[in-house]
């Protein structure tokens, strides 16, 4: 049986050599996202025979193996672990290319159920940094309104000097938006953890300010050299243009810090209709499809 353990900050040097591949685009394919959501999804990891394995949730679903070599052997190890726990082998978040690999190795042995609510939104970084083109003219207009209303606006890095103000803004956002929604409560835990451990996780954060107050903030990381993941984005919904401003300025900040940045992953909508409309309004270039996959 494989020996899984919780993901900690100290495990980063052990896990990252398996991650950050140039062809990775999904948010869960980088250490910061794995770590931040690990305690929410009860994620654990194991390194065995040159492979990184992830197990999550009460149903003991597995991530697709990370590594190189005999993929069939790696999947056999997961199947053995699942069976020893009295479970069928079940994968979460299987991407289309992974489905192709799995089906080639084990034809007809797995079912594949599309997970639209878990599909991730991928955008061109240049488009988000400029809102160029007819489709995004509404975003440009909102930014113009915000800039006109707040001529002293700035988008500044989150540092020790303004961290407490950002935390206070988030606390107010929580009181105004979360209510009793358990999913948003869990997200709040992730936000607090990210702000507390930005440096250790290699996160980049920025805050939108004007008139001595914060109107929004964002935190992100790099999945690889060309794709970023926006882990957190919060803004004042009552201030026209605050969200488009945060999105645009965070993309600019990331592009300046990482000149090769080409695509931005803004993660999934979790089936929330309002969030889905919002993400679609920025016109993604692709949806990263996922499947829930289980042995027959």
């Amino acid at each position: 049986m494989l020996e899984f353990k919780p993901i900690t900050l100290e495990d980063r040097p052990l896990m990252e050599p398996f991650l950050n591949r140039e062809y990775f685009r999904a948010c869960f394919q980088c250490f910061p996202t794995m770590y931040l959501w690990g305690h929410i999804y009860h994620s654990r990891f194991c390194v065995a025979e040159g492979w990184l394995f992830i197990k999550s949730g009460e149903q003991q679903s597995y991530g697709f193996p990370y590594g190189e070599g005999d993929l069939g052997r790696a999947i056999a190890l997961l199947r053995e672990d699942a069976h020893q726990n009295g479970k069928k082998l079940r994968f979460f978040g299987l991407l289309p290319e992974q489905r192709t690999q799995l089906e080639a190795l084990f034809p007809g042995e797995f079912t594949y159920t599309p997970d639209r609510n878990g599909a991730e939104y991928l955008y061109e970084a240049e488009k988000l940094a400029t809102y160029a083109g007819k489709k995004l003219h509404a975003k440009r207009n909102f930014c113009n309104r915000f800039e006109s209303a707040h001529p002293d606006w700035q988008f500044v890095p989150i540092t020790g000097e303004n961290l407490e103000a950002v935390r206070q803004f988030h606390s107010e956002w929580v009181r105004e938006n979360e209510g009793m929604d358990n999913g948003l409560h869990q997200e709040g835990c992730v936000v607090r953890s990210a702000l507390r451990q930005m440096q250790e996780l290699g996160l980049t954060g920025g805050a939108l300010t004007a008139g001595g107050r914060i109107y929004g903030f964002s935190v992100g990381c790099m999945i690889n050299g060309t794709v970023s993941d926006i882990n957190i984005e919060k803004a004042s919904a009552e201030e026209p243009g605050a969200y488009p401003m945060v999105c645009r300025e965070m993309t600019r900040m990331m592009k300046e810090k990482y000149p090769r940045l080409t695509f931005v992953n803004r993660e999934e909508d979790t089936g929330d209709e309002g969030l889905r409309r919002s993400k679609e309004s920025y016109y993604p270039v692709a949806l990263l499809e996922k499947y829930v996959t289980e042995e027959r």
Side-chain angles (χ1 to χ4, degrees), residues 77-261:
L77 288 172
L78 292 183
R79 176 178 270 178
E80 180 182 352
D81 185 79
H83 291 179
Q84 288 175 344
N85 284 284
K87 305 281 187 178
K88 291 182 178 182
L89 177 56
R90 187 175 190 269
F91 291 103
F92 65 85
L94 203 73
L95 300 170
E97 59 268 25
Q98 295 168 341
R99 171 181 174 170
T100 299
Q101 290 176 290
L102 183 62
E103 188 63 20
L105 288 168
F106 302 95
E109 296 186 32
F110 290 86
T111 62
Y112 305 92
T113 304
D115 178 18
R116 173 62 182 86
N117 294 345
E120 298 177 16
Y121 293 75
L122 201 68
Y123 304 82
E124 291 182 42
E126 185 62 29
K127 290 291 182 66
L128 292 187
T130 61
Y131 294 145
K134 184 177 180 180
K135 289 183 177 180
L136 293 170
H137 75 278
K139 304 299 182 187
R140 290 197 307 275
N141 289 341
F142 273 120
C143 288
N144 290 338
R145 287 176 62 185
F146 186 93
E147 291 172 340
S148 296
H150 306 282
D152 65 337
W153 74 271
Q154 291 181 296
F155 192 79
V156 298
I158 297 176
T159 66
E161 294 182 359
N162 60 14
L163 180 58
E164 188 55 40
V166 171
R167 286 173 172 158
Q168 182 61 34
F169 173 86
H170 176 247
S171 295
E172 293 172 0
W173 189 96
V174 168
R175 285 194 294 270
E176 294 172 0
N177 293 274
E178 285 198 2
M180 299 301 294
D181 187 292
N182 186 55
L184 288 178
H185 171 72
Q186 291 177 334
E187 183 195 56
C189 296
V190 170
V191 173
R192 290 186 288 272
S193 180
L195 292 174
R196 185 174 62 251
Q197 301 171 99
M198 283 185 60
Q199 185 173 354
E200 294 88 342
L201 289 168
L203 301 172
T204 299
L208 178 65
T209 70
R213 61 172 290 192
I214 292 177
Y215 284 90
F217 72 98
S218 184
V219 176
C221 64
M222 295 299 290
I223 297 172
N224 57 43
T226 61
V227 184
S228 69
D229 175 27
I230 299 302
N231 304 95
I232 300 161
E233 183 182 271
K234 301 297 178 190
S236 173
E238 296 180 357
E239 184 66 26
Y243 268 107
M245 286 288 292
V246 170
C247 176
R248 187 190 72 182
E249 293 305 310
M250 183 62 179
T251 306
R252 291 178 176 180
M253 179 177 283
M254 294 293 282
K255 279 176 64 64
E256 182 175 350
K257 187 173 181 179
Y258 302 99
R260 294 177 56 217
L261 178 63

Side-chain angles (χ1 to χ4, degrees), residues 18-62:
F18 295 93
L19 307 173
N20 306 117
R21 302 288 196 246
E22 284 298 313
Y23 55 89
F24 284 179
R25 298 183 298 167
C27 69
F28 57 81
Q29 292 177 311
C30 64
F31 180 81
T33 306
M34 276 190 186
Y35 171 78
L36 288 171
W37 285 94
H39 69 288
I40 301 296
Y41 292 121
H42 308 290
S43 298
R44 291 145 288 162
F45 85 101
C46 171
V47 174
E49 297 190 22
W51 292 88
L52 170 64
F53 301 116
I54 305 293
K55 182 190 289 190
S56 292
E58 296 179 359
Q59 297 185 38
Q60 298 188 38
S61 298
Y62 299 84

Side-chain angles (χ1 to χ4, degrees), residues 268-288:
E268 67 275 10
D269 60 40
T270 67
D272 182 283
E273 288 300 323
L275 190 55
R276 180 167 297 183
R277 288 193 297 272
S278 174
K279 290 182 183 290
E280 289 176 343
S281 73
Y282 288 84
Y283 293 94
V285 293
L287 275 179
L288 301 185

